Amino acid sequence: MQFSKTVARLITERRALMWATVIAIAAGCFATLVTRLRLDTEILDLLPRGFPSVEGLKVYNNEFEQTRELTFALLCQPEDIDKLEEFAPKFVERLHSQPWCVRVLAGSPLETPQGIADLQNIALPLLLNLDPDEFDRAISLLQPQRIQERLQQLRQAIESGSPRPEIELTLDPLGLIMPALKPFAGNAALESDQPLTSPDGTMRLFPVVTNQSSIGAFECQRLMKQVNAFRVSALQDWDGGKLEMLVTGRSAYVSEVSLSMRHDIYVTLLGSVALVGAVFFIGFRRWLPLLAMGFSLLLCCLIALAVGLLIFHQLNMVTVGFCAILVGLGVDFAILIYGRYQQARNEGATHAAAIADSVHHLGRAVFFGALTTAVGFLALVLSNSSGFIQLGVLIAIGISAAGVLMTTIFFLFIPTRTKPRQSDWIFSAVKTYVARMLHRPRSVLAISAPILIILVTIAVLPQIPLTFVANARSMEPKNSRAGRALSLIMEKMPVRWEPVLGIVRASNEQQLHDYWKAIAEHWEQLRKSGTIKSFSTPYALALSPQNIERNRHQLATIDFAASRTALQSALAQNRFSTAAFVSAFQFLDQLRVAAAQDYQIKPWRGELPQSSAWWFLIDRYFGHDPLLTAGFVTTNQPVSTQQQKNALARDLPVAGIPITLSGWSYTLTDLVPWSHRQLLFISALMAIFDASLLALLYRDLRLWLIQVVTLALAIAAMIASMKLLQVPLNLLNVLAFRLVLAIGVDYGIYVLLVWQRSTDIARDLAGVIKPVVLAGLTAIAGFGSLGWAHNPTLSGLGIACALGLFWSLGATIFFTLPAAVAAEPKLSDEGLGKPELQHEHV
């Protein structure tokens, strides 16, 4: 038995079995969604895998504590700078009192008593970590004569009125701490390359580390809810002019992205359903088929989501757009099938016969349409981006399900008795066009061909550029407050452009120390030669067991009793208070103990209190694994070109040391060639697939050549439209071209298969063109609804695809079909004037 007759028999005679199958499938899918649904808001998963710079970003975001850092910015008017300076300490105090705030950086830790005390507490491992020559010079200050000379010089400097000696005595009474802290303090100069105050004084920054347990979407939303409540009350004591509080950071972005996902799911899906439903109803003026279409599409979405969760375990944020896309594409099959079904019914066929007729005549077209679309979206697997891989797989699953459901389940909602429509202006217009086109195809080509040629010319003209955006902002949610805050910070503090990250993982402490020593020496040479502007590394903090053991034994040569006596004598002779030098005596005791017994290296996170401002430095350099570290290179200019990136990739690494270079700007520049490859190579593969499939389907060189030329013209018209409408390409919406190739080819297949195989050309063309037009409009509506998405990746992809499908549909109707008629006429002029053609209705 033919498949079409089997479907008709099941729908009309086995309805209970069909409904039971539908309920079982729906229940299984719903149970999967309830028990397994997890959303991934990681924006980095939109970037392709296989790039060291991308993997480096993921490592830094996941393994370093800085991911829990927010940056608060206070922005005032120029006339209120003095008031901002007065208000800042109060603001910091309020930040400290917040339950979600662990620590705040309000300035250099060296400028606060607590920061100095914390630094003195970790001076011993830093001193023992010095290279042998530097260590020997430092401990020579413990000789009794050197202690007396130092304190005498400091007393003379104090009496001469200099404030510096008092600061030095407070921080380093023995003169040992400064040599130990010199490399540490040099790296810790946060104000030098990453200032906390803008040059004009109107902006102050306050990095804050929060206590959130994870960087998940819901955790970030809860945190930002508290932060936004704090923003409302924090400015109550401000008595100046306008003061704006800005907040940016990973948690702020994740919160916005996750909330925009919810918005995008509702808006794009409801928008797509509304637009598609409107097109369907206008085309057929029937409610039950509209309900059948909606139910079938909902089931397709459930099937795709459930299978996708079973495959991927969690869904990335970009996949939220798949429902809107699937609605726009899956409805094509419903329109085609129902259009043919309605035509058969209006011609007197029974319900079962009309079902069999529609499946028989258009089942093949639906199959190949689903195949080309599924392959087009499955080609996203080649993007190497997990987000787009999921999008491609889910839509491929959904569109395959739609091809099956629209030729089966769809008919369960169709009543067995329907009255023919008395008028159909759309079909009447289609019949008029078909009649004229069949009679004078060259007159249609005379209008459409010049338009398409003009668009091709615009597409290839370099004088009209196609904008390509390769920056992080192209992937931020629209109207992002965190993104605006970051932009204002960068605008006010142009020196704060993003550094290049160098991530190094070692197998032990000594290897880590040796790695960073070699890297620091190499980068210092690059700085002196002007290749880079500045750099900072964890070299001073990467403790060397070899140095510590050697230096500890060297300490055993010191007579600490004599040093202690000399210190007490010098304090008395120079009229210093002994009580003020308690820290000096304590440090001497620490050195004596270290010389007498083994020194155990401890992770830095065990040496500092949780509230210490020095944690910002530790977190900057060290991951959760103390052997995973990062260094930073500030370039002379922001990294924006492939040449800059290639130069850095050549200059920064040191032979024999595994280092991963990364950073947002560096990575996005690294991805530009990948994006171009996606645009050209992968789209070319899709074009080859389409051409091969068309050759297999038509086995007619003229029809094959006509549709291949049509696809080329449609893509060129798409590019021209993007140029004229200033729709930019970005790193990810270049995928639109392959999707247009995959979907746009279907319209030509639907039309040319009827043209090639039909014996009643005028009737069958009129019957298929109306559904094709409606199907094209619904696909355009489905993609176009993505333009309302807050996620610019989805929005840009939707707009680009909508433009491409618009020209694919238009070129099919007004170029492909008349070109096929002109190349191979099938009707005589007399045959075009049959009364039956002029008065039949669908």
Side-chain angles (χ1 to χ4, degrees), residues 92-111:
V92 172
E93 185 178 349
R94 288 191 173 181
L95 273 175
H96 275 298
S97 66
Q98 298 305 305
W100 42 265
C101 176
V102 176
R103 50 187 169 270
V104 181
L105 181 65
S108 173
L110 287 171
E111 298 175 357

Side-chain angles (χ1 to χ4, degrees), residues 39 244 509 768 772 785:
L39 293 178
E244 189 173 3
E509 290 88 351
V768 76
V772 165
S785 66

Side-chain angles (χ1 to χ4, degrees), residues 138-144 147 174 176 555 558 560 563 588 591:
I139 64 171
S140 68
L141 295 174
L142 292 177
Q143 297 174 7
I147 291 175
L174 293 173
L176 286 178
L555 276 178
I558 302 296
F560 288 102
S563 298
L588 278 175
L591 291 172

